[in-house]
């Protein structure tokens, strides 16, 4: 017997019996593209039209002079470091709260990650902490837009220009966002010297795996080309992958607009219901702005006290809501011998414990689904004591 109005973890009916999946099935334009690639044989070739077309379409979309397709976003970040001429012993600054592979890529080059703290409001890399991190070995800064938030690229680029550093912009979670850069809006990935996209299996543009590097710096593009072309491509994206990405890119703006509208709707409901969640992204649609977030995840600072962050997330999972704990902060999960820090990491400590992120597929559902998400969170928090005491789901 299920009981109404109780969280699913306490025996209630799950709020979402069938949570939305990604990629959506069916996705007709994508299926047609795959079918055409099957029928004309391009799926089985080294050199067909699709990678060429995708390079052109991405270059067009981003106003990028150089686009290098590759096997993953992770490899793309490594390529940017090589393109930036980062060498063993050099230092690369990145936020202490970032995608683990970015840290590992710096190590893979033989360089040293230097971790800096986050902006207290947005939990993105704090440009104010760059000065304390810099040394004469610093070569590059990795700026990742995470969970719907956007790094202050104007400040990062201004600092980098002053000190001759390369800015690597990780737009894997922000594909199609517009980033304010010196008062102008630029496509995410094009605000620094070189940008990275991921086409991994859950991303806004997906071919299961894949990535791309974008840059207007001819020298960086040339070094990356030399590194990847070894008489054969070392980290290729396939024709079939490119074929299924093309129709997705054509729909990206429209889908991003829907996701933004829905994320804003959720933020308004959270405020109205007084839920202890503070969005990382600026979500007031009313203010005109030269920046516009994109939502691979909708990140929040969880400020609740009665229920642990991890328990809130696991209870929501049972209700079919894909709200997950954020990343582990890098300084808390790696040996001190592997990195240097630039100043205190107080915000990155809190983010490690209190960041939550809602996965994007729900944002393409209707408004009622978003209201249902907010009500489900409210209901779990209203039963905080019982939910805390319930056995771990699945145990
Ligand atoms: C997904 C992601 C990447 C790259 O991931 P791949 O799975 O290797 O394509 C890089 N940075 C961030 C912030 C990401 O979210």
């Amino acid at each position: 017997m299920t009981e109404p109005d109780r969280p699913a973890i306490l025996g209630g009916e799950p709020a979402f019996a069938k949570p939305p999946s990604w990629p959506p099935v069916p996705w007709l334009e994508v299926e047609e593209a795959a079918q055409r690639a099957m029928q004309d044989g391009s799926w089985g070739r080294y050199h067909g039209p699709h990678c060429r077309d995708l390079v052109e379409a991405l270059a067009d979309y981003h106003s990028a002079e150089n686009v290098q397709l590759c096997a993953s976003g992770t490899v793309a970040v490594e390529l940017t470091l090589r393109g930036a001429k980062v060498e063993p012993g050099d230092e690369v600054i990145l936020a202490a709260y970032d995608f683990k592979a970015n840290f590992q890529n710096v190590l893979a080059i033989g360089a040293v990650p230097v971790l800096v703290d986050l902006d207290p409001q947005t939990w993105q890399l704090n440009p104010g902490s760059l000065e304390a991190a810099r040394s004469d070995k610093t070569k590059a800064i990795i700026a990742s837009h995470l969970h719907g938030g956007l790094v202050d690229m104007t400040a990062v680029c201004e600092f980098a220009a002053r000190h001759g550093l390369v800015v690597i912009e990780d737009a894997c979670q922000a594909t199609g966002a517009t980033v304010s850069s010196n008062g102008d809006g630029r496509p995410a990935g094009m605000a620094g010297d070189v940008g990275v996209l991921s086409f991994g299996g859950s991303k806004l543009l997906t071919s299961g795996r894949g990535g791309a590097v974008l840059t207007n710096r001819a020298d960086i593009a040339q070094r990356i080309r030399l590194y990847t072309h070894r008489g054969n491509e070392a980290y290729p994206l396939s024709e079939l992958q490119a074929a299924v990405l093309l129709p997705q890119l054509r729909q990206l703006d429209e889908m991003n607009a829907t996701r933004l509208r829905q994320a804003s709707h959720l933020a308004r409901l959270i405020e109205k219901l007084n839920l202890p969640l503070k969005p990382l992204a600026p979500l007031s649609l009313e203010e005109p702005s030269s920046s516009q977030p994109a939502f691979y995840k909708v990140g929040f600072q969880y400020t609740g006290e009665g229920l642990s962050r991890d328990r809130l997330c696991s209870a929501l999972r049972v209700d079919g809501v894909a709200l997950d704990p954020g990343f582990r902060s890098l300084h808390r999960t790696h040996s001190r011998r592997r990195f240097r820090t630039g100043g205190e990491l107080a915000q990155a400590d809190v983010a490690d414990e209190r960041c939550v992120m809602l996965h994007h597929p729900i944002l393409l559902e209707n408004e009622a689904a978003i209201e249902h998400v907010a009500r489900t969170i409210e209901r779990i928090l209203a039963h905080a004591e019982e939910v805390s005491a319930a056995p771990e789901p699945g145990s």
Side-chain angles (χ1 to χ4, degrees), residues 94-115:
L94 70 162
Y97 181 97
D98 196 359
F99 191 61
K100 185 183 169 75
N102 290 355
F103 181 90
Q104 297 286 348
N105 268 325
V106 176
L107 293 179
I109 300 262
V112 179
V114 180
L115 304 179

Side-chain angles (χ1 to χ4, degrees), residues 128-146:
S129 56
L130 292 171
E131 185 55 50
R134 190 177 63 89
S135 78
D136 49 11
K137 293 183 185 158
T138 313
K139 270 286 180 61
I141 302 167
I142 300 177
S144 291
H145 306 296
L146 293 175

